[in-house]
Amino acid sequence: MADSHRIRFEPVDIEMDVTEDDKILDAAFRQGIHLMHGCREGQCSACKSYVLEGDLQMERYSTFACNDAEVAEGYVLLCRAHAYSDCTIELLNFDPDELLGGIPIGTVSAEVSAIEPVTRDIVSLRLTAGHAFDFKPGQYVDITIPGTEDHRSFSMATTPSTAGELEFLIKKYPGGRFSALLDGELKVGDVVSLTGPYGSSTLKDGHVLPVICIAGGAGMAPILSILRHLRETGSTRPVRFYYGARTAADLFYLDVISELGADLAGFEFVACLSESMEGADASAEQGNVTEVVERREAELHRSEVYLCGPPPMVDAALTLLEASNVPTDQVFYDKFTSPATDGA
């Protein structure tokens, strides 16, 4: 049996036990401690922390997320780190409301109820869980590929109000393992395993700033979940939703968005088309989504911004938000690694 060690997190004064076989982030989740995280694969830097004391070693990780100089100085990615002694770790980013108040991570089985294309490369996958699956709007789960131990992460487009009925919007990639499932391997009635919920890009109840949502591709999913929650709770916060696509043919669920927007305060949806305006509605605008946001939003710093989409889009949006002096505690996103580069 692997040795166990005590981990102390500062400046939040929280302690937990972890075995040498466990990655620290995973052990924290199981014990109800919800640390900041993103890809959970050592590819982003959301869980980057600083080792004040103790012996930690990391599994394989990207030096873009934590470079050699940072590692030498004492920085660590908690999603890749194993403890080999008692340790004291300084959390560089944390949400005090989430730390001990998050929803426990669990695994449930769910049955495929529908698989429907919504664009040429995005599919709606609907699942029915055996019982209500609790999560916060904006979160995601890991769906295990049947017959393997591999999984892929996808955000819910629905809210907990639909009980065990869940919808995911999934982009297909040529040669992708999950894409093959969606192209015929997975059938209605098949059972898959879900683990979660994960993610810190959740709607913050009690906040009053206007909400700006920026999404692209399958990043539509968590934004729909957030919009649905805003409607369900009778929110009066102004909401603007910018969605980036290449052409009008890549737009979808426009009727759903319109219906949601009819019940939201000051709602505005802007389709941002980067390649062609042919066939687009008069309200659509030419340009990458971040270019359109920059043109239209003169006071980004006076809003909360929720992001989800391809990593290049998220990176461009973060650059814009930094240049616009948006406080980091008003920006929410979960940065996924791209399946196009990891064989998904």
Side-chain angles (χ1 to χ4, degrees):
M1 185 174 179
D3 290 342
S4 179
H5 304 290
R6 194 70 174 166
I7 305 295
R8 181 181 180 86
F9 295 111
E10 296 289 359
V12 295
D13 195 24
I14 293 175
E15 295 187 5
M16 71 173 195
D17 291 317
V18 58
T19 69
E20 293 181 356
D21 290 339
D22 267 333
K23 292 188 279 287
I24 290 175
L25 185 66
D26 291 339
F29 283 144
R30 287 199 300 273
Q31 296 175 61
I33 303 170
H34 285 247
L35 304 177
M36 294 294 285
H37 59 283
C39 68
R40 301 175 9 256
E41 298 175 351
Q43 302 293 316
C44 75
S45 58
C47 66
K48 186 185 294 183
S49 301
Y50 185 74
V51 182
L52 296 171
E53 185 178 10
D55 179 16
L56 290 174
Q57 296 180 27
M58 283 193 286
E59 294 182 8
R60 183 171 173 266
Y61 61 94
S62 168
T63 54
F64 289 102
C66 194
N67 62 46
D68 293 341
E70 289 175 318
V71 172
E73 192 175 340
Y75 291 92
V76 67
L77 301 174
L78 298 182
C79 68
R80 299 283 94 184
H82 296 262
Y84 293 95
S85 73
D86 291 350
C87 299
T88 302
I89 298 172
E90 180 183 3
L91 300 178
L92 303 180
N93 299 292
F94 60 91
D95 184 336
D97 294 330
E98 288 285 336
L99 265 174
L100 297 177
I103 298 169
I105 304 299
T107 298
V108 300
S109 294
E111 183 177 300
V112 177
S113 56
I115 303 173
E116 300 172 349
V118 293
T119 72
R120 57 188 171 82
D121 60 1
I122 295 178
V123 171
S124 167
L125 172 64
R126 293 182 180 271
L127 304 177
T128 301
H131 55 80
F133 183 75
D134 197 15
F135 61 92
K136 295 184 179 182
Q139 289 192 303
Y140 66 92
V141 296
D142 289 342
I143 302 181
T144 300
I145 296 175
T148 76
E149 295 184 356
D150 294 337
H151 66 265
R152 299 294 181 265
S153 300
F154 302 110
S155 300
M156 281 70 73
T158 43
T159 69
S161 68
T162 58
E165 301 295 324
L166 305 168
E167 182 187 17
F168 303 88
L169 300 172
I170 301 173
K171 182 177 175 64
K172 297 193 298 181
Y173 292 89
R177 184 66 189 89
F178 212 94
S179 299
L181 292 178
L182 299 174
D183 278 335
E185 291 186 22
L186 199 62
K187 306 290 187 183
V188 171
D190 286 350
V191 175
V192 296
S193 177
L194 312 179
T195 300
Y198 297 107
S200 54
S201 180
T202 58
L203 191 67
K204 311 305 175 185
D205 291 331
H207 290 200
V208 297
L209 289 174
V211 172
I212 292 179
C213 300
I214 304 173
M220 168 92 68
I223 303 304
L224 283 179
S225 182
I226 287 171
L227 296 180
R228 284 169 166 146
H229 180 75
L230 287 168
R231 182 176 67 172
E232 290 169 0
T233 56
S235 173
T236 59
R237 301 172 69 180
V239 183
R240 293 185 291 282
F241 178 14
Y242 295 88
Y243 182 76
R246 291 187 176 90
T247 70
D250 297 306
L251 300 174
F252 64 102
Y253 279 12
L254 298 182
D255 54 341
V256 173
I257 295 168
S258 178
E259 181 183 348
L260 287 169
D263 295 324
L264 295 174
F267 181 79
E268 186 175 7
F269 172 72
V270 181
C272 312
L273 304 181
S274 61
E275 291 185 1
S276 171
M277 294 290 288
E278 184 178 353
D281 184 90
S283 63
E285 294 208 14
Q286 177 81 50
N288 293 325
V289 63
T290 48
E291 295 172 344
V292 176
V293 171
E294 185 174 17
R295 287 199 302 262
R296 293 174 59 100
E297 296 289 345
E299 295 191 320
L300 277 171
H301 62 289
R302 298 183 185 275
S303 62
E304 282 187 354
V305 184
Y306 293 82
L307 310 171
C308 193
M313 187 220 81
V314 173
D315 289 340
L318 291 174
T319 299
L320 169 62
L321 297 176
E322 182 179 5
S324 302
N325 298 314
V326 180
T328 56
D329 62 358
Q330 292 171 205
V331 180
F332 305 96
Y333 68 100
D334 289 310
K335 191 171 183 180
F336 297 97
T337 52
S338 173
T341 59
D342 68 9

